[in-house]
Amino acid sequence: MLLALAALTTLGLGLGLLLGTAARLLKVEAEPITAELEAMLPGSQCGQCGFPGCAGAAAALADGRAPVTLCPPGGRDLAQRLAERLGVSVDLSGMADAGPRIAAVDESICIGCTRCFKVCPTDAIVGAVKQIHAVIRDACTGCSKCVDICPTESLHLIPIPVTPQTWAWPKPAHTPVLAKPVLADAGCH
Amino acid sequence: MRIFDFLSRLPSWGVHPDDHKRPAADRALRVVTLPEFLHLPLTQHVGGIARPVVRIGDTVHKGQLLARAHGNISAPVHAPTSGRIVAIGDVHSPHPAGLTLPGITLAADGDDRWDESLEGLGDPFNADPQQISEKVSAAGVVGMGGATFPAAVKLALGRRMKVQTLIINGGECEPYLSCDDRLMRERAADVVDGARLIAYAIGAREVRVGIENNKPEAIAAMRAAAEGFAEVHIVPVPARYPMGSDKQLISVLVKREVPAEGRAADAGVLVHNVGTAWAVHEAVRHGRPLVRRIVTVAGGAVRDPGNVETPLGVSVSHLIEACGGLLQAPARLVLGGPMMGTVLPSQQAPVVKGTSGVLALTAAEAGDQAPAPCIRCASCVDACPMGLVPHEMAAHIRAGALDQAADQWSLTDCIGCGCCAYVCPSRIPLTHHFDYAKGELAGRERMRLRQDATKRLTAERASRQEREAAEKAAAAAARKAAKAAEKAAAEKAKAEKAKAEQAAAEAAGSNEGATA
């Protein structure tokens, strides 16, 4: 009786010690994917996704509580990259994407109320009381916070204007024609 | 083919298209009459957009500064003739999509008067090399071969890297073009002088001028001009496209290879075009800024092809008129050479610093044909001067695997010479694929930088708001403290007053008692 008690106690203690050490030594780190996802998001904390800032959105993405298409400023390109990173397949054909957009001020109806630049998360709007405000294009993320708050609807989103510096060739259309055999002049170069 | 190349010591890369250089190359330079208006884009160079220093209505002399350089890599823009500034805004640009550029419009007054304050260095070979760089920088000289990289920046780089060999690029391997050929034939002494000035400015000991052997007249003229200058060597090189690309010319002239993603200076050499050498001569000897250049006007649709010396800002249609106009509507209008040039959507585009040629090609010359599937014949692999595998790159790009095309197949090393598309029996527009992929990758890089900037701005805003809140709190606390101190002082004063009054009353009482 005593022997059995001692044996089982020793066994229990020994195995418990082993498990405890193993848990300590072979600890699995929490996957840092949340931080990685947060780094991929725009970081302007605009809240359009419905989560409190980009960190909240990243946590929701990591838990699978939110779809990869959650970020309007990131657009289709970001959704694609998030889907790649998370290893999920996503149908982006339904996602309307007019490319990245930025805010613009309609100068004829801006009253200089200063509300917009107080909410801008990247300080992309400059202006003063009763002066026409202007958007710094390079700093704007197109989060639309200013559009929502503008009392005269003077702010609106426009696609980023194309300049010769940012213009790029379109993707070549690939329509091979097989009407005429072309083998005759191949191989003699 | 390979055995022939080996026997004739031709390089194994590249292609040998019909050069089409005559009759334009054999006709003497013509001078273009001044048009009514000149349109001058503010980015005729790689780098920052120049900032205007004139106002609408200002009268300017030929060679006067119109816009100053902005940023480390940039170049100023000068008036190509005397006249009046009539507009500062958007002008047509030589852009394949027909986009406009910020620019200045100048109405010529017909006098063509030079600014009299311009003067060159008296004795440049005894001057400080830095002074030559400054002259070149102030004159707005950029790479005239088409790259339009500011020349002064390259001089500084050459001096810093202690480059020993200066290569002057007279290759001009593009078919049709003969502006460098004409320049060397007619102004060989100026070109050699410019080359020696550049060599002096960077401290190079040797100048090697590489000229393709299909230009015997230019070689003879340059040899005659270089007579007596032991450091200048005129070296004929085989005529093979793309010999005029700096990496290929370096490998032939000094037998060194430029490392991937490196620059010519990493191979211990500096390459300048013959046109740039001429512009440096003009800037240093005469103080004249870069306001004119030689342009080849050729192609089957041009009545009287030739080379013209033209002020910058003249429209392409005016140049074509100067060469007898068009015989037929061109199937394609090209700026630059047929291999690497860009399609021009309109004849309104102005001549800029990097314009080497204007080609009006007939349908037969343009040779548009529908592409067929790749048959994996590897002709493009043989032709590629950079040792790349064009058909694999294009296949990856078509499938959307741009990163793979860049990392695994070295898309970044592609110089865009077009040899692959030229030899392709299936007529696949390979260069178009590469241009698309390079643009797309650059766009992604821009978006990534933008995102980094957004994060920085957000962080800065947060820290600013914190600081402001802290300052507000500190100010409020200070106000409160001041108020409290004031109150305390008032109370103290009140107490003292009361005390004094009491004392006075007591004193009065005792006095009263004394008197009583």
Side-chain angles (χ1 to χ4, degrees), chain B residues 288-312:
Chain B
R288 287 181 194 152
L290 178 57
V291 292
R292 55 197 170 128
R293 69 158 298 144
I294 299 174
V295 179
T296 304
V297 182
V302 177
R303 190 182 304 274
D304 187 14
N307 283 282
V308 291
E309 178 160 41
T310 167
L312 301 178

Side-chain angles (χ1 to χ4, degrees), chain B residues 90-133:
Chain B
D90 286 344
V91 297
H92 284 286
S93 80
H95 189 273
L99 297 176
T100 56
L101 277 173
I104 294 176
T105 304
L106 177 68
D109 61 10
D111 294 345
D112 210 24
R113 258 176 298 109
W114 276 100
D115 183 351
E116 278 161 18
S117 65
L118 299 172
E119 55 181 27
L121 288 176
D123 187 5
F125 287 106
N126 283 320
D128 182 7
Q130 185 63 35
Q131 268 180 298
I132 294 181
S133 280

Side-chain angles (χ1 to χ4, degrees), chain B residues 67-422:
Chain B
R68 65 185 157 73
H70 177 75
N72 290 335
I73 297 177
S74 184
V77 176
H78 299 82
T81 184
S82 57
R84 200 164 51 83
I85 309 292
V86 289
I88 298 177
D90 286 344
V91 297
H92 284 286
S93 80
H95 189 273
L99 297 176
T100 56
L101 277 173
I104 294 176
T105 304
L106 177 68
D109 61 10
D111 294 345
D112 210 24
R113 258 176 298 109
W114 276 100
D115 183 351
E116 278 161 18
S117 65
L118 299 172
E119 55 181 27
L121 288 176
D123 187 5
F125 287 106
N126 283 320
D128 182 7
Q130 185 63 35
Q131 268 180 298
I132 294 181
S133 280
E134 279 163 17
K135 275 276 174 206
V136 171
S137 170
V141 179
V142 300
M144 305 276 277
T148 66
F149 191 81
V153 179
K154 230 159 136 180
L155 293 187
L157 177 78
R159 209 165 34 237
R160 204 168 58 242
M161 303 280 282
K162 300 206 165 34
V163 165
Q164 293 301 310
T165 308
L166 170 68
I167 290 180
I168 296 293
N169 185 350
E172 199 166 53
C173 54
E174 279 262 12
Y176 290 93
L177 299 188
S178 53
C179 56
D180 290 349
D181 185 7
R182 225 40 252 181
L183 180 73
M184 288 187 285
R185 287 200 214 179
E186 300 200 13
R187 295 174 189 167
D190 294 353
V191 173
V192 170
D193 183 60
R196 290 179 60 233
L197 286 168
I198 296 173
Y200 176 70
I202 60 173
R205 283 184 307 196
E206 178 190 35
V207 180
R208 296 177 83 83
V209 186
I211 306 173
E212 275 196 353
N213 59 12
N214 60 357
K215 297 185 255 300
E217 300 90 346
I219 294 171
M222 288 292 283
R223 280 206 167 126
E227 198 91 28
F229 301 119
E231 76 274 26
V232 183
H233 309 280
I234 310 295
V235 190
V237 293
R240 191 164 185 93
Y241 181 86
M243 188 59 82
S245 158
D246 58 353
K247 287 172 182 159
Q248 278 60 44
L249 192 62
I250 290 167
S251 75
V252 170
L253 283 182
V254 295
K255 308 269 183 293
R256 260 176 258 161
E257 194 169 337
V258 179
E261 288 169 35
R263 282 178 292 207
D266 296 327
V269 296
L270 201 66
V271 184
H272 274 289
N273 185 265
V274 285
T276 317
W278 174 78
V280 167
H281 161 86
E282 286 280 297
V284 177
R285 293 283 182 180
H286 308 292
R288 287 181 194 152
L290 178 57
V291 292
R292 55 197 170 128
R293 69 158 298 144
I294 299 174
V295 179
T296 304
V297 182
V302 177
R303 190 182 304 274
D304 187 14
N307 283 282
V308 291
E309 178 160 41
T310 167
L312 301 178
V314 170
S315 70
V316 163
S317 61
H318 189 79
L319 282 195
I320 293 175
E321 281 309 310
C323 290
L326 293 170
L327 289 167
Q328 52 172 289
R332 190 181 296 162
L333 205 60
V334 177
L335 202 71
M339 301 291 280
M340 287 186 77
T342 51
V343 173
L344 263 188
S346 110
Q347 291 193 25
Q348 299 305 310
V351 168
V352 291
K353 290 174 181 177
T355 307
S356 46
V358 172
L359 308 180
L361 302 176
T362 60
E365 287 173 305
D368 281 327
Q369 282 174 309
C374 174
I375 53 168
R376 301 181 74 80
C377 66
S379 303
C380 51
V381 183
D382 285 345
C384 182
M386 299 304 291
L388 305 176
V389 189
H391 68 275
E392 282 291 349
M393 291 201 297
H396 279 88
I397 291 163
R398 204 159 49 229
L402 300 189
D403 289 324
Q404 221 170 331
D407 301 336
Q408 197 180 332
W409 299 97
S410 307
L411 175 67
T412 40
D413 283 335
C414 169
I415 56 171
C417 65
C419 286
C420 49
Y422 176 81

